[in-house]
Amino acid sequence: MASYRHLARTCVMQTLFSVEFRKDDAKKLLGRILEEFAPKLTEQEFAYDTLDGVLKNKAKIKKIIQKFAPQWPVEKIARIDRAILEIGIYEIVFTEDIPPVVAINESIEIAKHYGDDNSPKFINGVLSSVMKKYKSDKK
């Protein structure tokens, strides 16, 4: 099941990244990406729920990125890294059913594949700080 969710997260990341360039309807674009790259994905609802959650909380997520990566203006963060951070922060802060460590590990794995050499370390640092702030009292 984890690998299906990993694929779903990857499709959501590709959607968020693409929307920044093309300004397409995000849900329709996700549908096309899922159809092309993950036609047998059984976790499509997870992908749509994640996309919806990120989009609904985008302003709050942006503020969290600004707070935990103050040396990087959000607009200066690589778009691929920003898309990965948005998913990771959404899962850590706004969901209850995904353990924060899983959200961080998934984000790092996606960053290793799609980001540059510094992306995994950057993603890990930001998301670990977010986890400590938002989940330390819920352990």
Side-chain angles (χ1 to χ4, degrees):
M1 182 158 100
S3 64
Y4 291 119
R5 284 194 167 193
H6 178 79
L7 181 56
R9 286 180 180 98
T10 300
C11 291
V12 172
M13 179 274 303
Q14 291 171 337
T15 301
L16 293 169
F17 179 79
S18 297
V19 165
E20 287 215 21
F21 289 100
R22 298 179 50 151
K23 306 297 182 204
D24 285 343
D25 178 89
K27 289 180 187 178
K28 287 181 183 176
L29 181 57
L30 177 58
R32 290 194 304 265
I33 289 171
L34 288 169
E35 186 177 306
E36 184 171 342
F37 297 107
K40 296 181 181 178
L41 182 67
T42 59
E43 296 276 340
Q44 286 196 5
E45 185 177 327
F46 175 79
Y48 283 104
D49 289 347
T50 301
L51 179 65
D52 286 342
V54 170
L55 294 176
K56 286 177 184 171
N57 294 289
K58 195 137 180 137
K60 293 175 187 173
I61 291 169
K62 182 177 179 179
K63 287 180 182 178
I64 292 169
I65 293 171
Q66 288 172 333
K67 181 177 181 177
F68 290 96
Q71 67 281 18
W72 289 96
V74 174
E75 308 77 39
K76 298 290 183 185
I77 295 172
R79 290 179 184 190
I80 203 77
D81 291 350
R82 195 165 56 233
I84 296 166
L85 282 172
E86 288 170 351
I87 295 166
I89 290 170
Y90 166 71
E91 290 184 345
I92 293 168
V93 177
F94 299 97
T95 67
E96 295 294 325
D97 62 329
I98 299 168
V101 174
V102 171
I104 293 170
N105 288 340
E106 286 289 319
S107 297
I108 292 168
E109 289 305 312
I110 294 170
K112 286 178 184 177
H113 192 266
Y114 291 95
D116 65 22
D117 290 342
N118 297 316
S119 295
K121 185 176 179 181
F122 176 67
I123 299 289
N124 183 35
V126 173
L127 294 182
S128 293
S129 296
V130 170
M131 179 184 73
K132 287 175 187 164
K133 168 70 176 167
Y134 287 89
K135 297 297 182 174
S136 63
D137 60 340
K138 296 183 181 183
K139 289 182 181 177

